[in-house]
Amino acid sequence: MRILLLLLLLIGPVMAKTQDRPAYRLFAAAGKPVGYEAMLKKLAAADVVFFGEQHNDPIAHWLQLQLTKDLLRVKQGQLVLGLEMFERDVQPLVDQYITGELDDETFEAGSRPWPNYGTDYKPLLLLARQQKFRVVGTNVPRRYASLVAKGSLAALDTLSATTKTWLPPLPVTVDYELPGYKNMVKMFGVDAAHAAGVQNIIQAQALKDATMAFFLNQARPAGHLLLHLNGSYHSDNHDGILAYLRQQNPQLKVLTVSTVSQEQLAKLEKDNQQKADFMLVVPADMTKTY
């Protein structure tokens, strides 16, 4: 019996360690582990929070929902939710859905939701519908981003005055030295910097960033926190959307969260440090939503 007890005492901690399979870890920018409550407290003190996601990561979507609920509680309802996933021309439908004027079928038929809307974003809109806080679609209508990708920002000059109300003030200036845009050049290859097609793609990305910055800045009432959900590339390194937001409203206190995957969760890998104020790290083999 004593031998059995000794074996259990020795094996127990090993088994406990083996069975510890966390779904995520949180780190500060430099790699120091941080708890959820500590992160929540700091985010709640900001004016704008960007939550950069990997679009098919279920942990990020789940944490976005929890964070929205908690910020709503801490801010006593003074919260606006901004979404890359809805475009400016469907904002009237978003408003009508949140107020209960539209049912699910009518809303989804007209608002061009992303394929993973039902699992990943609908819970957020249902929460807004229940708790009565504003949701703002911030993205440029994709047909105009496509227009720029094919023919440069100059193609926007031909649009009507009504159409231009869905865009930021024109002309949109593109800083090709921003790290995110320079990295896009690298992804296309060594000679990409001299290719007009690649520049057009970067201009389309810049149009999205500028549009989201312009409309989320407009959507935030004084004293409210605006939580914006977007693909991490749009806000990593305080780049992309943030570069345009700083031009419009440099006084805003802005914090960022980014989602990355790693083989191990014990520490934040060097390549992922400083991408955001807080890093959400999920296992590389995490199940995807699509």
Side-chain angles (χ1 to χ4, degrees), residues 4 14 16 39 50 54 70 73-74 95 104 119 125 131 152-154 171 174 180 187 205 222 233 258 273 285:
L4 178 59
V14 176
M39 180 182 77
F50 288 91
Q54 301 300 320
D70 288 333
R73 170 179 52 82
V74 173
D95 292 336
D104 289 340
T119 55
L125 269 68
Q131 298 296 325
S152 85
L153 284 165
V174 183
M187 288 190 289
Q205 179 82 357
Y233 201 85
S258 185
Q273 293 178 12
D285 60 355

Side-chain angles (χ1 to χ4, degrees), residues 3 27 53 67 72-73 94 109 133 140 157 169 179 228 280:
I3 294 175
F27 295 89
E53 65 177 46
L67 186 61
L72 189 67
R73 170 179 52 82
V94 174
F133 61 90
V140 66
D157 296 336
H228 192 265
L280 167 62

